[in-house]
Amino acid sequence: MAVHDDLLLAAETPETPIAEIVGVGHDLIQQAEVFISSLWRPWILYQILIFVGIFLAAHMVRHIFAPRLRNWIKEREDWPMWRIRWMLVVHRRLRGIAFVVIIWLVIFVMQEVTWNSRSYLLQIIGNLALAWLLVALTTRLIGNPFMRGVARYTLWAWITLRILGLTDEFSALLDSAAFHIGEVRFSLLQLVQAILVIGVLWIGARFLSRTATGRIRGNNDISPSMQVLAVKAMQIALYSAAVFIGLRTIGIDLTGLAVLSGAIGVGLGFGLQKVVSNLVSGVIILLDKSIKPGDVISLGDTFGWINSLGARYVSITTRDGKEYLIPNEDLITGQVVNWSHSNEFVRLDIYFGTAYSDNPHDVRRIAIAAAQSVDRVLSSRPTVCHIVGFGDSSVDYILRFWISDPTGGLTNIRGNVYLALWDAFAENGISIPFPQREVKVLDDSVLSTRQID
């Protein structure tokens, strides 16, 4: 009794947040007591028994039809994937669907044969079941599992309170739990409202971002680098607007947080210098169009084509299937070879040597013809062969040819040209020398051999 008197005494002083919480909680307890006492009325008990029977009937419907529905879905091999996914959702929610259908049929019959008050509890249960089912089905449109779960349970809680008529009491209870930061007041009600409003706006921003991204990437008049830049800028603008509008909608004054956000920004700037540097470097890369998706580049020992441009890194796929994530800062500060910056034409050089006994004019003609016989070598750009020196044992040549598909690889085309030279030289009797040594026996010297056991 002493504790109860203390709580009542606290409730009489509404200037304290604890007193507000106790007062709202007391009202909720009184409503719960009234509801529990009403359960002992005869027609309330009858409705509870009808509810149990409807639940068992829905469970039997699922037990009978769920396996058949699953086998029927398996036979629909020509259906698109999205339709199969929705049928699987219906399969998982079959008991809930059957429960909603049966309970509303029972409610309709009871309203026709008896008073509405004798189906009041069933109407509440039917509204809750129908609302929960619609929320479960519509939230499937949200792709992110975490956001889908937050939206689903939040809507379930809000709809349940709305149907039970407890929204005002629950809102007062959440609003009474508050704290102050300077002149700004924060409460649990504002937190819940912020989650709901920002969540809806975030989902809307995500939908608009995906729609606009598809249109931007489908526009061939925009360069790939500008497409990436436009998509990133649009996403930042949409998501920032969703958070800003959401906070302003629930009445939070953002000007009071300007100093705090500035201090946090400075701290993040010092602590995340590399991250900020990569972000800024990514924006510079997109603006100056030095590299773009599809370009073939070399950075150190890494050679491949750009798969995607990210906010922090660039994804490069090599010929052996490896994917390298190169920080944007390395592409700005390091030396990068872009094989397809202004055009796709790439000139390759290979070196070889022939014997001094071979006519160099014939060697040059045969080498050019051999290179031109390889498929990827361009015939529109001339292949040339020049003498670059007289070596110790060979005449040294350089063979230069052009290709237009560096994404197909460089090592393989060089190997094919070398193989074509080998076949052409063998066919025309041109030899490829290798270093040899002569041993000369001087006069009056003795050359002897002995057998080693």
Side-chain angles (χ1 to χ4, degrees):
M1 292 294 296
V3 176
H4 187 265
D5 293 339
D6 293 339
L7 292 177
L8 292 178
L9 181 60
E12 294 177 356
T13 57
E15 66 274 3
T16 61
I18 297 179
E20 296 180 8
I21 296 175
V22 172
V24 175
H26 186 68
D27 294 339
L28 292 175
I29 292 174
Q30 288 182 343
Q31 293 186 18
E33 290 176 350
V34 173
F35 176 75
I36 294 174
S37 62
S38 66
L39 294 178
W40 299 105
R41 297 176 183 176
W43 269 105
I44 297 296
L45 291 176
Y46 294 155
Q47 293 179 68
I48 293 176
L49 293 176
I50 294 173
F51 160 71
V52 174
I54 293 173
F55 181 81
L56 294 176
H59 184 74
M60 290 298 298
V61 169
R62 180 186 182 280
H63 180 73
I64 295 173
F65 291 100
R68 300 179 181 178
L69 178 60
R70 188 172 186 84
N71 294 331
W72 182 78
I73 294 174
K74 290 181 179 180
E75 296 175 356
R76 309 276 81 82
E77 297 179 354
D78 55 337
W79 275 15
M81 188 58 64
W82 66 269
R83 189 180 298 177
I84 294 177
R85 290 197 187 99
W86 274 104
M87 290 305 299
L88 290 176
V89 171
V90 172
H91 176 266
R92 285 194 295 267
R93 301 288 177 179
L94 187 59
R95 179 167 52 196
I97 296 173
F99 180 83
V100 171
V101 172
I102 296 174
I103 194 172
W104 279 105
L105 288 176
V106 172
I107 292 171
F108 177 76
V109 173
M110 291 183 66
Q111 288 178 343
E112 294 294 328
V113 300
T114 185
W115 298 314
N116 290 338
S117 60
R118 295 185 174 181
S119 61
Y120 176 73
L121 182 60
L122 290 178
Q123 291 180 31
I124 294 177
I125 297 175
N127 288 325
L128 288 174
L130 178 60
W132 291 349
L133 180 62
L134 292 177
V135 169
L137 294 178
T138 53
T139 51
R140 291 294 304 176
L141 299 174
I142 303 175
N144 189 290
F146 176 75
M147 294 298 297
R148 181 168 62 244
V150 171
R152 178 176 298 173
Y153 291 112
T154 303
L155 288 174
W156 278 348
W158 181 79
I159 290 174
T160 302
L161 294 173
R162 187 78 176 178
I163 293 176
L164 297 179
L166 300 175
T167 53
D168 295 337
E169 290 80 359
F170 192 74
S171 298
L173 179 63
L174 292 178
D175 188 62
S176 61
F179 61 94
H180 291 78
I181 299 179
E183 300 294 333
V184 183
R185 181 180 183 273
F186 296 96
S187 65
L188 289 179
L189 179 62
Q190 287 181 316
L191 177 61
V192 173
Q193 291 176 342
I195 294 175
L196 288 174
V197 174
I198 294 176
V200 172
L201 293 175
W202 193 275
I203 294 172
R206 187 181 181 88
F207 175 76
L208 292 176
S209 175
R210 288 186 175 182
T211 304
T213 299
R215 292 182 177 273
I216 291 174
R217 292 180 176 174
N219 191 343
N220 296 326
D221 296 333
I222 305 176
S223 64
S225 59
M226 290 304 298
Q227 289 180 4
V228 176
L229 180 60
V231 169
K232 296 298 180 184
M234 178 194 61
Q235 290 176 346
I236 293 174
L238 287 176
Y239 291 135
S240 300
V243 176
F244 180 80
I245 295 173
L247 294 177
R248 294 291 296 177
T249 301
I250 62 176
I252 295 179
D253 188 7
L254 298 180
T255 57
L257 301 176
V259 177
L260 178 62
S261 61
I264 294 175
V266 172
L268 290 176
F270 282 107
L272 302 176
Q273 292 184 16
K274 286 293 184 182
V275 176
V276 175
S277 175
N278 286 320
L279 291 175
V280 175
S281 299
V283 175
I284 294 174
I285 289 173
L286 293 174
L287 289 175
D288 64 10
K289 303 179 184 179
S290 56
I291 60 174
K292 57 186 180 297
D295 281 353
V296 180
I297 68 171
S298 297
L299 180 64
D301 296 332
T302 304
F303 171 83
W305 57 90
I306 297 176
N307 186 29
S308 62
L309 298 177
R312 188 180 61 84
Y313 59 83
V314 172
S315 174
I316 299 177
T317 304
T318 60
R319 290 284 297 171
D320 54 2
K322 296 179 181 179
E323 186 170 2
Y324 291 88
L325 304 181
I326 308 298
N328 291 328
E329 184 182 8
D330 294 348
L331 298 175
I332 294 294
T333 59
Q335 183 178 5
V336 181
V337 179
N338 192 337
W339 297 84
S340 54
H341 177 56
S342 57
N343 56 64
E344 297 291 335
F345 298 112
V346 176
R347 192 189 71 181
L348 299 178
D349 300 339
I350 62 173
Y351 296 89
F352 65 93
T354 62
Y356 276 95
S357 58
D358 298 324
N359 188 344
H361 300 283
D362 295 336
V363 171
R364 292 178 60 192
R365 176 179 51 81
I366 294 171
I368 293 173
Q372 292 287 349
S373 65
V374 179
D375 293 336
R376 293 175 55 193
V377 176
L378 297 178
S379 57
S380 58
R381 296 205 168 197
T383 301
V384 296
C385 183
H386 302 290
I387 296 177
V388 294
F390 298 105
D392 295 336
S393 57
S394 65
V395 180
D396 299 327
Y397 299 86
I398 182 173
L399 179 64
R400 291 176 171 172
F401 56 91
W402 292 83
I403 62 173
S404 60
D405 54 348
T407 56
L410 304 181
T411 303
N412 54 1
I413 185 62
R414 286 193 180 101
N416 292 337
V417 173
Y418 273 123
L419 187 60
L421 287 176
W422 179 277
D423 294 337
F425 289 167
E427 183 180 352
N428 291 274
I430 296 176
S431 60
I432 301 176
F434 53 90
Q436 303 181 43
R437 295 293 181 267
E438 261 185 23
V439 178
K440 184 176 181 181
V441 180
L442 300 177
D443 296 337
D444 300 330
S445 62
V446 178
L447 181 64
S448 63
T449 59
R450 62 186 179 90
Q451 182 176 1
I452 299 177
D453 295 335

